[in-house]
Amino acid sequence: MAERPLQASRQRRGKAMTAAAGSAGHAAVPLLLCALLVPGGAYVLDDSDGLGREFDGVGAVSGGGPNFGASLHILKVEIGGDGQTTDGTEPSHMHYALDENFFRGYEWWLMKEAKKRNPNIILMGLPWSFPGWIGKGFNWPYVNLQLTAYYIMTWIVGAKHYHDLDIDYIGIWNERSFDINYIKVLRRMLNYQGLDRVKIIASDNLWEPISASMLLDSELLKVIDVIGAHYPGTHTVKDAKLTKKKLWSSEDFSTLNSDVGAGCLGRILNQNYVNGYMTATIAWNLVASYYEQLPYGRCGLMTAQEPWSGHYVVESPIWVSAHTTQFTQPGWYYLKTVGHLEKGGSYVALTDGLGNLTIIVETMSHKQSACIRPFLPYFNVSRQFATFVLKGSFSEIPELQVWYTKLGKPSERYLFKQLDSLWLLDSSSTFTLELQEDEIFTLTTLTVGSKGSYPLPPKSEPFPQIYEDDFDVDYPFFSEAPNFADQTGVFEYFTNIEDPGEHRFTLRQVLNQRPITWAADAYNTVSIIGDYKWSNLTVRCDVYIETPEKGGVFIAGRVNKGGILIRSARGIFFWIFANGTYRVTGDLAGWVIYALGRVDVTAKKWYTLTLIIKGRLSSGMLNGKTVWKNISVSFPKNGWAAIGTHSFEFAQFDNFHVEATR
């Protein structure tokens, strides 16, 4: 019975050798050698002495379906808190204490879409910012521990009640201080609500001081299920290991999704466990779906930043993820026998305990795998032969499927390519790989791998040069208007029941207090839109100030910054105020003043603002009449259009129109 597999093994080995001999330099596909005596390291994969830590998965921050593309195991989403969290704001489910709405933002939709593709995907929630009412006047979420715990608990309950989503893990406060008593209060409140199954991860910052605090406080140690660290550089600390808790790299990657970014991910997916015993790695971010000129442009596993055209790009980090995610699942275990390769690189092996084995080998070079953070100490990777010996329950494995990635030069580049399978029946459960720099191999007993296929995406197109939105949507699918990217404040579709006429449906800025911030939010609210390359443009919008005396609104062009840099944004801003004044400024903060004066404006009335920018000159109109003209503006030379308010105040916008030329 063994004759046919043996013959197949010899034939395939012969093909591999022929291909290697007939190609110049390195083979077009890598050379797989079974049981040949070649110089190089030998690595035993054995479960005879038990197994290593339980694997918890690979994920991304706001998944993937099994065996198609990234096939993510974990989806981590932001619990919207109304504040800036890197590239924009996400709305809270409770803008105010007596306000609950579990249909704001896109995270509910995203979680449901992820569950459709992978019903077993693990869901995590973590707050970056919090609505201002929680702080009771302070920029601090721990003023009233019960109140903050209640707020988080309502999000978990709402996810289940309104969307049938079970949240598996909940975090404390992204990359900010934790409060020991708050963590305990949160656990008690979750238990009281029957949410015992929801696990707590802390502190989504550094390994310390959370690890030491847990060792010094037995109750804290008990209530925290996972220690999550950000950008650990593949290493952990002694205290974290002493807790005996699961260790996760709960945010990592954050690197441009080029082949270097893919190399970063390939290296850390292996070495987070080899060096630091981390059993889950979560990439920031899932999909780069924000204007590219915002901070960390294209730092997603894939890119989909043109909703107006539908264009997207499946980038190489997707296929690097697949090397692990398609051939493992949470609940598998790492083998104890994992480690570094002699001449650079690393290998891990995982099993489901039912006879299946998956081995992932990476040889990422320093140049090809530097992540955006932390600093990567120099190391060297060179050509090598690596012999793997399967022992214990794996010694009888007859065949391994082989998947291969080579990053770098286009002429040598392969992404998640399936090679001929490897037969082991005549090789004493031993095989040898010839390894070059910047390669990834997955060798597995599983036959479920698939690169998947998808139609060609629509062609990339710039943002339309003429764009308008009247916001006339009675039952919006999302709370935000398309293409507007809120940078401070929250702009939502609004039904204005007091105005049954032209302005019944508007876009409204809905915050009247500053949130508990995570980043340097501006003191004005602002939402950007359009093409960053725009230079000459006309912006027109109907505006409605709701706050008497102190209220104010603006339209703007050539806005040159956003995200965590929004406070220092420059541009041309045309403001009107309820006290009957106008102002033209060269920045969002209002320090650079080009013009000011009086206009016939008051609160509770609709006005039409028009801003015209052409070359070095700009002009502005109110209700079609020129208020100021030919003001010289030499900087910036390009940027987005924008709308916003003078402070955290209610205001409405309608009939937005922009016409631009580069």
Side-chain angles (χ1 to χ4, degrees):
M1 290 294 291
E3 182 58 34
R4 292 167 78 182
L6 283 171
Q7 186 178 4
S9 176
R10 293 189 187 105
Q11 288 173 348
R12 293 178 191 211
R13 189 166 54 205
K15 285 180 184 178
M17 289 173 146
T18 302
S23 63
H26 190 41
V29 293
L31 182 61
L32 300 173
L33 304 169
C34 296
L36 291 182
L37 297 176
V38 294
Y43 310 96
V44 175
L45 301 175
D46 192 355
D47 61 352
S48 302
D49 191 32
L51 299 172
R53 293 194 173 212
E54 182 181 1
F55 174 66
D56 294 308
V58 174
V61 182
S62 7
N67 310 119
F68 186 105
S71 305
L72 299 179
H73 308 126
I74 302 169
L75 175 62
K76 179 177 180 178
V77 303
E78 177 180 338
I79 300 175
D82 294 336
Q84 170 63 242
T85 58
T86 300
D87 288 300
T89 66
E90 290 198 37
S92 170
H93 63 288
M94 295 179 73
H95 293 318
Y96 311 101
L98 300 179
D99 160 67
E100 285 190 16
N101 184 325
F102 296 92
F103 294 91
R104 295 184 182 124
Y106 60 84
E107 300 289 10
W108 313 108
W109 169 85
L110 186 64
M111 287 189 281
K112 287 187 286 189
E113 290 295 315
K115 281 288 186 181
K116 287 179 187 177
R117 289 154 179 79
N118 178 6
N120 297 319
I121 199 165
I122 295 163
L123 298 178
M124 296 177 62
L126 175 67
W128 270 248
S129 60
F130 297 82
W133 59 272
I134 283 180
K136 296 185 177 295
F138 296 92
N139 194 43
W140 191 244
Y142 306 127
V143 175
N144 183 320
L145 304 183
Q146 293 281 348
L147 189 65
T148 303
Y150 171 80
Y151 168 77
I152 296 297
M153 179 272 295
T154 59
W155 185 84
I156 299 171
V157 171
K160 181 64 175 178
H161 181 75
Y162 292 98
H163 303 285
D164 196 27
L165 293 167
D166 291 306
I167 304 300
D168 299 291
Y169 290 87
I170 202 75
I172 306 306
W173 189 11
N174 183 71
E175 295 176 355
R176 295 295 180 264
S177 301
F178 63 89
D179 182 289
I180 289 173
N181 290 324
Y182 166 71
I183 298 173
K184 297 174 182 177
V185 166
L186 178 63
R187 179 73 271 166
R188 288 196 293 269
M189 184 167 290
L190 294 177
N191 292 349
Y192 181 75
Q193 293 293 328
L195 299 170
D196 311 60
R197 62 173 293 280
V198 178
K199 296 180 172 65
I200 290 178
I201 179 169
S203 67
D204 279 296
N205 199 354
L206 304 175
W207 294 118
E208 298 289 15
I210 189 66
S211 299
S213 300
M214 292 168 68
L215 293 174
L216 294 169
D217 186 325
S218 59
E219 184 184 354
L220 183 67
L221 182 68
K222 183 179 179 182
V223 301
I224 292 175
D225 300 278
V226 177
I227 304 177
H230 287 193
Y231 309 98
T234 75
H235 294 279
T236 186
V237 298
K238 183 179 179 182
D239 281 353
K241 288 182 277 193
L242 286 174
T243 66
K244 302 287 203 298
K245 294 289 183 176
K246 289 179 177 289
L247 309 178
W248 288 9
S249 179
S250 55
E251 186 177 310
D252 219 326
F253 179 61
S254 284
T255 302
L256 184 72
N257 54 27
S258 62
D259 275 12
V260 173
C264 155
L265 188 61
R267 178 174 53 80
I268 64 177
L269 285 179
N270 264 25
Q271 296 195 28
N272 275 348
Y273 185 76
V274 171
N275 299 335
Y277 297 105
M278 286 166 264
T279 54
T281 296
I282 299 174
W284 189 97
N285 58 61
L286 178 65
V287 183
S289 289
Y290 44 92
Y291 291 118
E292 186 168 343
Q293 294 81 9
L294 288 168
Y296 305 103
R298 277 189 53 202
C299 286
L301 298 183
M302 63 177 285
T303 303
Q305 60 192 20
E306 294 182 14
W308 53 87
S309 72
H311 177 73
Y312 63 90
V313 185
V314 180
E315 311 279 9
S316 48
I318 290 283
W319 304 118
V320 167
S321 302
H323 271 279
T324 298
T325 56
Q326 287 200 23
F327 310 107
T328 58
Q329 288 297 325
W332 284 44
Y333 279 82
Y334 284 98
L335 301 192
K336 290 181 179 179
T337 49
V338 301
H340 291 277
L341 299 169
E342 241 179 48
K343 295 186 178 180
S346 65
Y347 66 97
V348 295
L350 301 97
T351 181
D352 62 355
L354 303 173
N356 284 307
L357 176 69
T358 291
I359 307 159
I360 305 116
V361 182
E362 61 82 20
T363 57
M364 293 300 116
S365 65
H366 187 279
K367 180 181 178 181
Q368 190 68 45
S369 71
C371 302
I372 201 168
R373 67 177 77 87
F375 172 77
L376 182 61
Y378 181 76
F379 60 87
N380 188 53
V381 178
S382 57
R383 178 174 178 266
Q384 60 191 302
F385 291 92
T387 300
F388 292 88
V389 183
L390 306 187
K391 291 191 173 182
S393 68
F394 309 122
S395 60
E396 301 299 318
I397 289 175
E399 181 184 12
L400 292 171
Q401 308 295 313
V402 184
W403 293 81
Y404 173 69
T405 286
K406 169 74 171 178
L407 301 173
K409 295 179 183 176
S411 60
E412 301 176 357
R413 187 172 181 261
Y414 290 93
L415 293 177
F416 200 57
K417 177 183 176 64
Q418 186 170 18
L419 306 182
D420 284 343
S421 58
L422 186 61
W423 289 93
L424 302 173
L425 290 180
D426 59 344
S427 63
S428 304
S429 298
T430 300
F431 63 91
T432 297
L433 300 179
E434 180 190 359
L435 301 172
Q436 305 277 7
E437 291 183 7
D438 304 318
E439 294 181 331
I440 305 174
F441 283 92
T442 296
L443 302 104
T444 180
T445 55
L446 298 183
T447 59
V448 294
S450 169
K451 190 163 187 180
S453 61
Y454 51 90
L456 282 174
K459 290 183 178 179
S460 175
E461 298 283 351
F463 195 93
Q465 289 183 289
I466 300 175
Y467 182 84
E468 55 189 16
D469 195 336
D470 59 12
F471 311 116
D472 287 356
V473 183
D474 202 348
Y475 297 102
F477 191 77
F478 292 109
S479 58
E480 306 100 325
N483 301 316
F484 281 91
D486 301 351
Q487 300 301 306
T488 294
V490 174
F491 295 73
E492 295 181 347
Y493 282 117
F494 181 65
T495 303
N496 192 346
I497 57 176
E498 296 179 3
D499 187 338
E502 182 186 2
H503 300 296
R504 178 170 177 81
F505 299 107
T506 67
L507 191 68
R508 190 189 196 206
Q509 200 295 117
V510 298
L511 300 187
N512 66 357
Q513 57 185 325
R514 187 176 181 78
I516 296 171
T517 58
W518 179 82
D521 297 43
Y523 290 95
N524 332 84
T525 74
V526 55
S527 187
I528 61 172
I529 188 169
D531 189 331
Y532 189 81
K533 296 176 182 176
W534 279 349
S535 179
N536 299 325
L537 69 160
T538 299
V539 185
R540 186 175 68 246
C541 191
D542 297 344
V543 298
Y544 184 87
I545 302 169
E546 296 190 38
T547 306
E549 303 299 330
K550 295 182 179 180
V553 299
F554 70 83
I555 62 174
R558 294 187 184 174
V559 178
N560 72 341
K561 289 182 182 177
I564 52 177
L565 307 173
I566 187 61
R567 195 184 288 187
S568 59
R570 296 289 302 271
I572 300 98
F573 296 81
F574 178 19
W575 312 73
I576 59 170
F577 298 91
N579 65 2
T581 63
Y582 79 92
R583 189 168 293 189
V584 185
T585 68
D587 63 332
L588 176 62
W591 292 105
V592 180
I593 299 174
Y594 292 134
L596 51 81
R598 298 203 62 82
V599 284
D600 185 15
V601 169
T602 185
K604 308 287 187 180
K605 286 183 66 176
W606 281 97
Y607 301 93
T608 301
L609 293 183
T610 305
L611 172 64
I612 303 164
I613 308 169
K614 191 170 184 180
R616 290 175 171 266
L617 300 177
S618 66
S619 305
M621 294 189 289
L622 174 67
N623 292 342
K625 295 181 179 180
T626 298
V627 177
W628 51 278
K629 66 183 301 183
N630 294 338
I631 289 178
S632 177
V633 287
S634 58
F635 180 84
K637 297 188 183 303
N638 56 276
W640 297 289
I643 57 175
T645 66
H646 179 243
S647 63
F648 287 92
E649 61 185 272
F650 299 135
Q652 295 177 54
F653 302 84
D654 203 359
N655 299 320
F656 177 84
H657 177 97
V658 61
E659 191 166 334
T661 56
R662 291 188 179 180

